[in-house]
DNA sequence: TTAAAATATTCCTTGACGGGAATATTCTTT
DNA sequence: AAAGAATATTCCCGTCAAGGAATATTTTAA
């Protein structure tokens, strides 16, 4: 999994930008306006998103249209896939533990406060 | 989407810890060993993962067993869901643009290098 | 009770990051 | 050519996060 993706999304304003771009490509100025950012900060954040591969740019005369790229999201999705298998095992383990707990025969010594009488 | 999840996963060693814990619960020392971390750093990273809800602890005498929690991954998955819809629209738009490009009648002025003759 | 093991916490230092302000760059319009 | 709009870049500063080293805490073992 690409670390850059997580770092890029870990910043509040950048996550907002990403969410915003779901509605379609936007210009730097539009992004700055809607998120109440100053233009330089918008540009800086977009640069980082760009280097992380989360967006790309299409120059249109004076303006630059930024839009989301689907690849990082697909990658994230595949990464999560390797955890879905793990989740299943996790659930199975839980069920197993509940079965164990339902059997009152063997005493366990964790969780037990302290019951020796000096 | 929880920002803490992204920040927690944005750190190299913490991402490694998470990947490592897929194999099952591990002790602080085991984690430090396998990742060549010093024990204090392992503890610190685990604390952050704990506060982000990515892991939980089960005290067992001297040792502490850390294990992954499934919830953040499910949340991430649901967040990605809202992007799958967007991806579809993205693909449709791409197809549409290719159709436009296949029609050589209307001339576009973006992307065109510069073809005026002096 | 004392020593040792496993873990957590604190203090310190350093480097990266984000915002503010100013400035540079590029393109358009007149 | 000159002015203005849209964007990028630079410099400065304050903050925060991470590693190193030392120490505190808790539990087991002797």
């Amino acid at each position: 999994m690409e670390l850059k993706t997580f770092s890029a999304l870990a910043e509040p304003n950048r996550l907002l930008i990403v969410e915003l771009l779901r509605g379609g490509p936007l210009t730097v100025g539009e992004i700055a306006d809607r998120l109440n950012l100053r233009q330089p900060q918008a540009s800086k954040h977009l640069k980082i998103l760009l280097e992380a591969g989360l967006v790309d740019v299409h120059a249109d005369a004076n303006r630059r249209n930024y839009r989301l790229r689907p690849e990082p999201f697909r990658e994230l999705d595949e990464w999560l896939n390797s955890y879905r298998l793990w989740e299943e095992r996790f659930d199975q383990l839980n069920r197993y533990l509940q079965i164990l707990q339902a059997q009152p025969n063997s005493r366990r010594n964790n969780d037990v406060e302290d019951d020796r009488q000096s």
Side-chain angles (χ1 to χ4, degrees), chain A:
Chain A
M1 181 61 209
E2 278 292 341
L3 266 187
K4 274 190 177 179
T5 307
F6 287 133
S7 332
L9 295 174
E11 210 280 333
N13 287 319
R14 284 198 292 268
L15 184 55
L16 287 177
I17 291 179
V18 168
E19 310 261 27
L20 188 55
L21 286 181
R22 262 190 310 193
L26 285 179
T27 243
V28 178
E30 292 169 330
I31 295 175
D33 278 354
R34 306 203 194 180
L35 298 183
N36 283 316
L37 297 179
R38 315 187 184 258
Q39 175 267 320
Q41 330 299 333
S43 282
K44 291 178 195 172
H45 284 309
L46 285 167
K47 183 178 186 180
I48 294 180
L49 290 174
L50 191 66
E51 287 167 353
L54 278 161
V55 302
D56 60 6
V57 214
H58 170 255
D60 173 40
N62 235 358
R63 358 205 124 179
R64 305 211 161 199
N65 282 308
Y66 283 87
R67 64 175 178 183
L68 283 187
R69 289 183 65 239
E71 287 82 356
F73 297 93
R74 300 217 175 97
E75 189 198 11
L76 236 180
D77 192 45
E78 289 184 17
W79 184 72
L80 277 183
N81 265 330
S82 62
Y83 281 83
R84 289 186 240 279
L85 300 154
W86 160 77
E87 275 192 55
E88 292 173 17
R89 285 189 314 176
F90 183 89
D91 289 342
Q92 286 174 2
L93 180 60
N94 264 358
R95 261 174 258 131
Y96 176 66
L97 289 180
Q98 292 195 353
I99 293 175
L100 275 195
Q101 198 149 22
Q103 292 185 341
N105 39 356
S106 92
R107 180 88 186 285
R108 292 164 311 288
N109 45 15
N110 294 335
D111 317 312
V112 176
E113 294 302 322
D114 191 357
D115 54 10
R116 55 203 133 138
Q117 355 199 353
S118 108

